[in-house]
Amino acid sequence: MGIFETMAASSFPRLSSLLVFVGFLSLLRPCACYRPMNSSDTNLGTSPAIATWYGSAAGAGSTGGACGYGDAVARPPFSSKIAAGGSSLWKSAHGCGACYQVSCTANAACSGSPVTVVITDQCPGGPCDSDPVHFDLSGTAFGDLAKPGQANALRSAGSIHVQYTRVPCSYPGVHITFRVDNGSNPNFFAVLPEYVGGDGELSAVEVQDGAGPWRPMQISFGAVWKLNSGTPVRGPLSLRLTAGVSRKTLVAPNVIPVGWRPGATYNSNVNF
């Protein structure tokens, strides 16, 4: 047997043992599997983030925000419990409507109790982009992280470390509403779905005019979806929504009536 054959023969047992050891280590690695969120999820684990606050101390952040919800952010069911999301939460507007539980323990004024917030705005630039996860909370939501009587003390910290978890959105007794954008006209239809339960965020919206085909809409801005029809959109219009995480779909049949008006809000009888 030559020298190279001898080396190969002596190396084979060591190589086999190494492969077995590497295979064993791979079994110990945690699974990074994708797990769709559904309405039965109540404990999805927490992760670290940074939180700041904006707007007035007892307010709803800005008047409306980049998602387009307008003054609805200050009224139930949002009730000012909202946040502007950094880039990882904003998701180029696809994060609009998603719900998160946020809590803090790192500050002496923190209560440790979670507060549920909805992404209704974008937090652009600075730490909102550089932090892996950044919540710019409304003054109301930030203060609600505090122990009783210590909301102002916590807000004075300005920026705090928090824990967060994604949770299903829940609006008991509330169905999805559809607000026709003020810029709509017979040849351009745009609509804002509000109070979307479950995933909260949407990955697709389609519209059907009467008994016609389903036509995909595109994001106009924030949570507003548009259809550049080029032909009159008369109605009645049905809307089909696809949830952003679970990919569940639902149809709101004939929810937009004939003679629909820009700026009007139409109620459905469906929700995820």
Side-chain angles (χ1 to χ4, degrees):
M1 180 180 294
I3 184 169
F4 294 109
E5 293 171 301
T6 302
M7 291 174 62
S10 63
S11 299
F12 182 76
R14 288 197 297 266
L15 179 60
S16 299
S17 299
L18 179 61
L19 291 174
V20 170
F21 179 68
V22 170
F24 173 73
L25 286 180
S26 68
L27 296 176
L28 300 180
R29 294 176 60 193
C31 176
C33 308
Y34 172 76
R35 180 173 180 265
M37 183 181 69
N38 59 61
S39 59
S40 65
D41 289 325
T42 55
N43 184 10
L44 305 181
T46 59
S47 301
I50 300 295
T52 51
W53 64 281
Y54 73 123
S56 62
S62 65
T63 303
C67 289
Y69 296 117
D71 58 6
V73 297
R75 303 194 308 266
F78 290 148
S79 301
S80 300
K81 304 293 182 65
I82 61 91
S87 55
S88 63
L89 298 172
W90 173 247
K91 302 178 185 177
S92 299
H94 282 285
C96 287
C99 296
Y100 296 87
Q101 279 188 348
V102 182
S103 61
C104 72
T105 56
N107 187 287
C110 289
S111 70
S113 299
V115 174
T116 300
V117 296
V118 185
I119 300 297
T120 64
D121 202 356
Q122 178 187 17
C123 183
C128 295
D129 284 337
S130 60
D131 290 339
V133 182
H134 191 105
F135 291 88
D136 199 18
L137 300 168
S138 68
T140 294
F142 198 95
D144 284 350
L145 296 174
K147 296 173 182 175
Q150 298 194 42
N152 288 333
L154 185 61
R155 280 191 288 260
S156 69
S159 177
I160 59 174
H161 290 271
V162 297
Q163 299 80 44
Y164 78 98
T165 184
R166 178 73 181 271
V167 295
C169 296
S170 178
Y171 303 109
V174 177
H175 296 124
I176 299 174
T177 66
F178 296 90
R179 177 149 48 92
V180 179
D181 187 70
N182 283 321
S184 296
N185 60 63
N187 295 317
F188 174 78
F189 176 74
V191 69
L192 171 66
E194 296 179 298
Y195 318 129
V196 177
D199 294 358
E201 65 186 65
L202 297 172
S203 62
V205 177
E206 300 162 275
V207 62
Q208 182 186 49
D209 191 347
W214 286 103
R215 290 185 285 178
M217 304 181 75
Q218 296 79 41
I219 289 181
S220 176
F221 68 93
V224 179
W225 295 74
K226 66 179 180 179
L227 174 71
N228 289 312
S229 174
T231 58
V233 180
R234 296 185 175 89
L237 303 178
S238 298
L239 290 163
R240 182 162 64 189
L241 313 181
T242 301
V245 179
S246 65
R247 296 299 192 268
K248 291 180 180 178
T249 62
L250 65 75
V251 173
N254 300 324
V255 68
I256 310 294
V258 176
W260 54 266
R261 296 178 294 103
T265 297
Y266 301 98
N267 297 319
S268 78
N269 60 358
V270 297
N271 212 330
F272 285 102

